[in-house]
């Protein structure tokens, strides 16, 4: 993904997408570029119209389900129930201990 992002960055600023420029971008962020991946990416991108791909990606409708708070609320309720059950068990154990003293 880093290589793709580097290529998109070069495209966005109007620089040529070549091995040298990609290498500079990747090195600027502390990444040691793989020459084979650079060459492969540059070769692959020569046959792609990046502008067209980006426009079609933006125009593509997406449906993303909004996250619901229900699972988080259920989890909180479960934890509260567990805590309550533990408290009740502790109280029962304490009462049993007292019963042994007077039994």
């Amino acid at each position: 993904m880093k290589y793709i992002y580097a290529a998109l960055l070069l495209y966005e600023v109007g620089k040529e997408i070549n091995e040298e420029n990609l290498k500079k971008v990747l090195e600027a962020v502390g990444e040691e570029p793989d020459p084979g991946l650079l060459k492969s990416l540059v070769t692959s991108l020569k046959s792609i119209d990046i502008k067209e791909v980006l426009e079609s990606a933006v125009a593509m409708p997406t449906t993303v389900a909004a996250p619901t708070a229900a699972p988080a609320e259920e989890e909180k309720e479960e934890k509260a129930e567990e805590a309550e059950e533990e408290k009740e068990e502790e109280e029962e154990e304490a009462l049993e201990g007292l019963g042994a003293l007077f039994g």
Side-chain angles (χ1 to χ4, degrees):
M1 290 300 290
K2 296 175 261 190
Y3 292 80
I4 300 296
Y5 288 136
L8 288 172
L9 179 63
L10 289 170
Y11 170 79
E12 186 65 30
V13 296
K15 300 285 183 177
E16 182 182 357
I17 300 173
N18 58 32
E19 291 176 51
E20 182 181 327
N21 287 344
L22 284 169
K23 183 177 178 181
K24 287 178 185 178
V25 170
L26 291 167
E27 286 176 342
V29 295
E31 182 69 25
E32 182 61 39
D34 180 344
L37 286 175
L38 290 175
K39 186 175 196 123
S40 176
L41 179 62
V42 170
T43 302
S44 298
L45 291 177
K46 284 184 179 179
S47 63
I48 295 174
D49 182 4
I50 295 175
K51 181 179 180 181
E52 182 180 313
V53 171
L54 290 175
E55 286 174 354
S56 68
V58 171
M60 180 182 269
T62 58
T63 56
V64 178
T68 61
E73 289 176 16
E74 288 176 8
E75 188 174 314
K76 287 180 184 178
E77 288 176 10
E78 287 176 11
K79 287 182 180 180
E81 288 175 9
E82 288 175 12
E84 188 175 318
E85 287 175 9
E86 287 179 17
K87 186 177 178 181
E88 288 175 5
E89 287 176 11
E90 289 175 2
E91 288 175 359
E92 288 176 10
E93 289 174 5
L95 291 175
E96 287 176 9
L98 286 175
L101 286 174
F102 299 108

